[in-house]
């Protein structure tokens, strides 16, 4: 069985249709299908794009007809949290993802295209229920898929707490929404990427002018070692970081036992591998870039030739 691992769609249903058709999938009985391949979606189906519900319908129909597998991205996690009453503040109308105040406005803005299509409808509930059925990762016999970072310790911590097939339970949703809870850290690490604390006294100002003492890193990059080289941030801010080695215990080393596919990182340019067994398939379809897939045919060493690009850049 060949797998086509598809990047973050972010409501760009037209790009998704073009990509699937370009790879030989055809719409039959309501679901895109291929005679001898399956699609795997790396998460982030919603937010930003013009066809939120259509994207959901395409992906769900493929999953339910066994033409695709799909995992949870941080945008689906946020959507569930937005829609779930906080048991500690339900009487005050609080939700797991804040809807009020400055944070609430920021959260609503990020979610606005999705809310514009579904807010207050029965369909909204239905979509959230379906998001809760999505696993946080796939560990198939031949390959792995996770939205942002394959991290053995976080995975081992969550596994015994999860529902069948690596899904988030309501209880886990609550813990994953409480900063300081180990479940929060694990879910955030897996779906948003690995964050490391800067060494003593180092801090930088983020794009909103807030002081930050943690940075997200390119966890897959085994050739770089310092905060400055590993940090994921605009070059100008990055150059202010110390050329000090990130401690080995703060970084996962990928065990290389099989290929792992990720999304999430808003890559640009021509698709490249992150390692011989690591490939990111997110090329910013949600921000004007193309939707990208990796067409996997059983190889244990990945090849740049197997990236498939469709539907971009935006006109
Ligand atoms: Mn993401």
């Amino acid at each position: 069985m060949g797998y086509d691992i598809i990047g973050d769609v972010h409501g760009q249903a037209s790009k998704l249709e073009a990509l699937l058709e370009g790879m030989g999938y055809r719409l039959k009985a309501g679901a895109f299908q291929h005679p001898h391949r399956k699609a795997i979606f790396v998460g982030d189906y919603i937010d930003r794009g013009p066809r939120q519900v259509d994207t959901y319908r395409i992906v769900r129909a493929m999953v339910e007809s066994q033409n695709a597998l799909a995992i949870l991205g941080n945008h689906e996690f946020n959507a569930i949290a937005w829609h779930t009453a906080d048991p500690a503040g339900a009487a005050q109308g609080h939700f797991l993802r804040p809807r009020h105040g400055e944070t609430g406005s920021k959260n609503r803005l990020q979610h606005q295209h999705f809310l514009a299509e579904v807010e207050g409808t029965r369909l909204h509930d239905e979509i959230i229920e379906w998001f809760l059925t999505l696993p946080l990762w796939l560990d198939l016999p031949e390959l792995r898929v996770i939205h942002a970072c394959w991290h053995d310790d976080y995975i081992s911590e969550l596994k015994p707490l999860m529902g069948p097939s690596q899904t988030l339970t309501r209880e886990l949703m609550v813990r994953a929404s409480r900063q300081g809870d180990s479940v929060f850290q694990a879910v955030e690490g897996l779906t948003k990427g690995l964050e490391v604390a800067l060494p003593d006294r180092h801090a930088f100002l983020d794009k909103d002018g807030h002081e930050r003492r943690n940075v997200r890193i390119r966890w897959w990059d085994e050739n770089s070692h310092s905060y400055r080289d590993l940090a994921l941030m605009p070059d100008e801010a990055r150059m202010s970081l110390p050329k000090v080695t990130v401690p080995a215990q703060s970084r996962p080393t990928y065990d290389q036992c099989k290929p792992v596919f990720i999304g999430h990182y808003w890559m640009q340019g021509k698709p490249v591998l992150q390692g011989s067994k690591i490939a990111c398939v997110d090329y910013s379809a949600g921000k004007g870039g193309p939707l990208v897939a990796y067409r996997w045919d059983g190889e244990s060493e990945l090849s740049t030739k197997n990236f498939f690009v469709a539907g971009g850049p935006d006109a």
Side-chain angles (χ1 to χ4, degrees):
M1 168 78 67
Y3 288 113
D4 296 314
I5 300 103
I6 298 176
D8 309 32
V9 185
H10 281 303
Q12 296 285 348
S14 308
K15 290 184 188 179
L16 177 55
E17 290 160 340
L19 178 78
L20 289 168
E21 281 163 14
M23 293 194 299
Y25 288 72
R26 294 293 174 261
L27 194 56
K28 280 182 203 155
F32 278 94
Q33 42 192 284
H34 192 285
H36 38 259
R37 302 185 69 82
K38 241 184 217 200
I40 302 183
F41 292 95
V42 301
D44 280 6
Y45 312 109
I46 59 161
D47 295 332
R48 288 185 175 266
R51 295 174 62 198
Q52 304 279 316
V53 172
D54 289 346
T55 303
Y56 152 75
R57 289 197 199 284
I58 293 169
V59 175
R60 181 170 181 169
M62 290 181 75
V63 169
E64 290 186 344
S65 60
Q66 296 181 356
N67 288 294
L69 301 168
I71 65 164
L72 190 92
N74 58 308
H75 284 259
E76 287 74 48
F77 175 85
N78 289 347
I80 300 168
W82 175 273
H83 191 264
T84 306
D86 184 341
Q92 296 82 45
H94 291 171
F95 289 79
L96 290 180
R97 189 163 170 83
R99 296 186 180 187
H100 301 293
E102 202 188 322
T103 310
S105 314
K106 214 180 79 206
N107 292 344
R108 175 172 283 278
L109 198 67
Q110 200 178 73
H111 207 27
Q112 61 179 329
H113 290 101
F114 180 73
L115 292 174
E117 289 192 37
V118 302
E119 193 170 23
T121 67
R122 172 65 198 122
L123 179 61
H124 192 175
D125 306 339
E126 173 195 305
I127 295 174
I128 298 303
E129 285 301 321
W130 185 68
F131 287 167
L132 279 163
T133 69
L134 298 176
L136 226 55
W137 66 85
L138 293 173
D139 194 356
L140 306 181
E142 326 84 327
L143 57 86
R144 293 167 168 161
V145 186
I146 189 132
H147 188 62
C149 175
W150 191 270
H151 191 293
D152 289 314
D153 292 347
Y154 291 160
I155 286 173
S156 322
E157 184 185 344
L158 289 177
K159 216 169 177 175
L161 307 172
M162 300 188 97
S165 53
Q166 290 73 254
T167 53
L168 287 169
T169 61
R170 298 261 175 201
E171 194 184 2
L172 276 178
M173 277 305 302
V174 174
R175 291 189 59 188
S177 303
R178 304 267 188 259
Q179 218 156 356
D181 191 308
S182 60
V183 169
F184 174 94
Q185 198 184 357
V187 171
E188 191 164 89
L190 299 178
T191 62
K192 294 190 192 169
L194 193 74
E195 204 170 73
V196 298
L198 288 168
D200 287 347
R201 297 182 309 280
H202 277 284
F204 68 96
L205 296 179
D206 69 13
K207 62 181 186 336
D208 302 317
H210 297 129
E211 190 178 85
R212 301 276 173 184
R213 294 180 178 278
N214 295 305
V215 284
R216 286 203 198 281
I217 60 166
R218 294 180 303 132
W219 60 270
W220 56 81
D221 185 353
E222 289 172 357
N223 300 315
S224 299
H225 307 282
S226 71
Y227 291 90
R228 186 183 297 177
D229 292 337
L230 285 167
L232 279 158
M233 58 168 68
D235 277 349
E236 201 182 324
R238 197 168 58 76
M239 293 316 281
S240 74
L241 297 180
K243 203 118 173 96
V244 170
T245 301
V246 176
Q249 71 269 20
S250 323
R251 294 186 64 182
T253 35
Y254 186 59
D255 66 12
Q256 310 283 329
C257 84
K258 45 187 136 169
V260 60
F261 295 91
I262 56 175
H264 186 65
Y265 288 99
W266 301 101
M267 300 294 187
Q268 293 189 343
K270 205 171 144 49
V272 291
L273 298 171
Q274 278 58 54
S276 65
K277 292 191 194 292
I278 308 178
C280 175
V281 286
D282 175 24
Y283 279 80
S284 308
K287 276 195 231 172
L291 189 60
V292 166
Y294 183 94
R295 310 204 77 184
W296 186 81
D297 283 303
E299 67 275 19
S300 59
E301 300 283 311
L302 303 178
S303 163
T304 310
K305 294 197 306 289
N306 296 343
F307 282 111
F308 188 94
V309 181
D314 287 356

